[in-house]
Amino acid sequence: MPENKIDSNQYAYLVKLAAFAATTTAMILVVLKLYAYFVTDASAMLASATDSILDLFASIMNVVILRFALAPADKEHKFGHGKAESLAGLVQAAFVLGSALLLVFNGVDRIINPQEVVRTEVGIVVSIIAIVMTLMLVILQKYVINQTKSVAISADALHYQSDLILNLGVLAALFLSQGYWLQADGFFTVAVAIFLLIGAGKIIWTSVHQLMDHELTAEELSIIKKIVLAHEGTHGLHELRTRQAGPDRFIQFHLELDGELSLLEAHTIGEAIEVEIIEALAPCEVFIHHDPLSAANHHQATDEIKRV
């Protein structure tokens, strides 16, 4: 059974909670890190502040797009607005890429032109506060992602996971830049940029898959087939097609039944199967076309599944 079996209301509550928590955290960290940068003049602290500013813009964008993605279906969008969440993932990835490039420029500059960091105690205190706040946010985001598999929150979480590494790097850089290894400030900055670039690539891949109507997982397809074939009177199914948009799954297939069944009997079997699939894979919509076995036998579909 898939782990993320929650209804639409729970999904909306969790992703909104994660999105607003991320925005609030980013606002606080931007103020703290900019203050620390002006006091210490550390490149790593500037990189951290820049990253938090981009995190803030990305999180605000996330809140806006999620409000649209979670809206119910309407006349113009009868399959809902779930794909807007994948678009949010692409927007997030763009912010991550921009952040990574800025970090590379700042990091390389400090490697070439190293300088000792001043008033390190301010940067250390701010970095510790940032680590604690970010860790709490990441724990919340991980929980939400585990429950919802949200692409938008997964993209948002990437920023803040990198922040944990970045803030630890800042702590190390602040210490090492005091005459031990002046280039540490720049090297830590570039290392985080590489991490961001890899993560952005993963988010882009996931978002594009959903926008291209990628099939459900093998586990979910197996659940559908087992439910159908477990019902007495069914002989198989064919033309099974699935896709996912945000939290919503869309499932359609042709159900093979005895041709002698009455319309009411066929409808009853199909309705029972639909209810079971929805219970197993909610939130989802199921579309079933009933085929008499004689007609189905003439159908040469490559995805035909028969009762054995």
Side-chain angles (χ1 to χ4, degrees), residues 32-43 45-47 49 110:
L32 290 175
K33 290 179 180 181
L34 284 176
Y35 168 74
Y37 166 65
F38 288 126
V39 171
T40 64
D41 193 35
S43 173
M45 187 57 72
L46 174 61
R110 280 301 171 94

Side-chain angles (χ1 to χ4, degrees), residues 43-222:
S43 173
M45 187 57 72
L46 174 61
S48 185
T50 301
D51 184 61
S52 290
I53 291 172
L54 289 171
D55 285 349
L56 176 59
F57 281 118
S59 293
I60 291 174
M61 180 69 69
N62 220 18
V63 170
V64 174
I65 293 180
L66 281 172
R67 286 180 64 87
F68 181 75
L70 295 171
D74 53 36
K75 289 183 178 180
E76 288 75 30
H77 308 90
K78 293 186 177 180
F79 286 97
H81 305 81
K83 285 192 176 183
E85 189 169 337
S86 296
L87 293 175
L90 292 176
V91 172
Q92 291 273 40
F95 277 114
V96 174
L97 290 172
S99 177
L101 292 176
L102 288 174
L103 294 184
V104 168
F105 292 142
N106 281 285
V108 170
D109 179 65
R110 280 301 171 94
I111 292 172
I112 297 173
N113 304 299
Q115 55 185 283
E116 189 172 345
V117 178
V118 298
R119 295 196 62 183
T120 55
E121 69 280 1
V122 175
I124 289 172
V125 171
V126 169
S127 295
I128 291 174
I129 293 173
I131 289 171
V132 173
M133 292 184 64
T134 305
L135 181 60
M136 293 172 63
L137 175 62
V138 168
I139 291 173
L140 172 63
Q141 289 176 323
K142 285 289 187 182
Y143 171 76
V144 172
I145 293 168
N146 183 57
Q147 295 295 312
T148 66
K149 302 297 185 290
S150 168
V151 173
I153 301 303
S154 296
D156 211 23
L158 172 63
H159 304 291
Y160 298 100
Q161 290 173 44
S162 69
D163 278 355
L164 286 175
I165 301 173
L166 180 57
N167 290 318
L168 289 170
V170 170
L171 283 175
L174 290 172
F175 175 74
L176 294 173
S177 296
Q178 298 179 78
Y180 299 101
W181 181 29
L182 293 181
Q183 287 86 358
D185 192 17
F187 274 109
F188 277 112
T189 304
V190 173
V192 172
I194 294 172
F195 175 83
L196 286 172
L197 288 171
I198 295 172
K202 293 179 180 179
I203 294 300
I204 290 172
W205 178 263
T206 301
S207 298
V208 169
H209 261 265
Q210 286 206 6
L211 288 172
M212 296 295 289
D213 287 337
H214 192 260
E215 283 280 299
L216 299 184
T217 65
E219 178 191 4
E220 291 167 329
L221 293 175
S222 177

